[in-house]
Amino acid sequence: MTTLNRLVLWNIDHTLVDVGRITREAYAEAFQRTVGRPLVRLPPTPGRTESELIFETLAFNDVVTTDDHLPAFMSALAGSFAARRADLRAHGRVLAGAREALAALARLPDTAQSVLTGSIQPNAALKVTELGLADRLDLEVGGYENGVYSKAALLELARTRAGDKHGVRYPESATVFIADSPRDVQAAHIARSAIIAVATGSATEAELRGAGADVVLATLADTDAVVRAVLELTGR
């Protein structure tokens, strides 16, 4: 059995890729299918899980929620994304340096890479697969929105899944989360994992430093800086 003892978890949206146009269209369609009327307003998305976004979307659009709304909306959202595979390829964008950073980290010994995302699993997999990033990521052990856990809890869950799969333990000191929002920084702190924050979303470098990120990068374009940060934060 190969021993992998460093775990790098990637946020997807605005860290690795920008699929904002497709997300807005999919939410509008899912809202229409779930509620029966057009979507008027979509809440801010950075750092939120799908369930948070869905409940806020319903509230922002004056929908009185019931127990049936969340599963129905998630199912509709999965269908809406699946119908937009071609749009993801045509209009989605891999952010600068993301592909190179994934490849460089994949070359490090004893290192596993997966995702920690607020997206539901089928949509997360579509985003990275259709944009050609999935071959560097072990999607089987990722942390995904499932309507129950916070991102901090999902980080713990991803560590456990990766450890179970590879037959090793990933301590907090061997785990690094790479993401783009202050809410992600907070999740990493709660889970006691190091975080590299990248100012490729709506937050500035100053805001990410103020949130307490261990390392702040403007983008992922400097591959050496990304690798150096991961190595330093895992004490290697």
Side-chain angles (χ1 to χ4, degrees):
M1 180 182 296
T2 302
T3 299
L4 301 171
N5 54 19
R6 181 191 296 111
L7 180 63
V8 179
L9 296 171
W10 289 89
N11 182 59
I12 297 176
D13 291 289
H14 305 296
T15 303
L16 291 173
V17 304
D18 180 359
V19 294
R21 170 177 170 176
I22 297 91
T23 297
R24 290 188 294 273
E25 292 174 353
Y27 258 84
E29 181 179 315
F31 183 89
Q32 176 78 50
R33 289 171 58 186
T34 304
V35 178
R37 56 181 169 85
L39 174 70
V40 175
R41 183 183 176 194
L42 190 65
T45 61
R48 285 172 165 80
T49 62
E50 213 84 82
S51 59
E52 289 177 298
L53 281 174
I54 289 170
F55 281 126
E56 288 186 20
T57 296
L58 294 170
F60 281 17
N61 290 274
D62 299 319
V63 176
V64 178
T65 59
T66 69
D67 291 342
D68 296 331
H69 274 121
L70 182 60
F73 204 122
M74 283 190 172
S75 177
L77 191 61
S80 296
F81 258 91
R84 288 171 168 77
R85 286 178 179 270
D87 289 341
L88 283 167
R89 293 191 296 271
H91 303 296
R93 180 170 62 96
V94 177
L95 296 182
R99 200 181 305 277
E100 294 80 4
L102 285 166
L105 292 174
R107 291 191 291 269
L108 292 179
D110 305 329
T111 300
Q113 294 185 88
S114 189
V115 296
L116 172 62
T117 174
S119 297
I120 55 177
Q121 187 166 356
N123 291 359
L126 276 175
K127 292 171 190 178
V128 295
T129 299
E130 296 304 322
L131 289 172
L133 302 179
D135 60 334
R136 303 295 187 183
L137 297 162
D138 184 350
L139 298 179
E140 184 180 348
V141 303
Y144 306 94
E145 165 63 78
N146 61 7
V148 178
Y149 298 116
S150 66
K151 265 196 169 180
L154 290 173
L155 197 159
E156 298 280 8
L157 183 60
R159 270 212 309 253
T160 300
R161 285 174 174 165
D164 289 346
K165 179 174 181 177
H166 298 296
V168 299
R169 178 176 173 270
Y170 292 98
E172 295 159 356
S173 61
T175 305
V176 180
F177 185 26
I178 304 179
D180 63 87
S181 80
R183 288 171 65 95
D184 290 318
V185 175
Q186 181 184 44
H189 288 169
I190 292 170
R192 298 182 179 179
S193 288
I195 180 161
I196 299 169
V198 189
T200 46
S202 59
T204 66
E205 291 180 63
E207 287 169 335
L208 294 168
R209 289 192 189 93
D214 296 291
V215 174
V216 176
L217 301 174
T219 71
L220 296 171
D222 187 341
T223 305
D224 289 342
V226 177
V227 173
R228 184 165 57 249
V230 169
L231 292 174
E232 289 175 353
L233 290 171
T234 55
R236 310 298 166 87

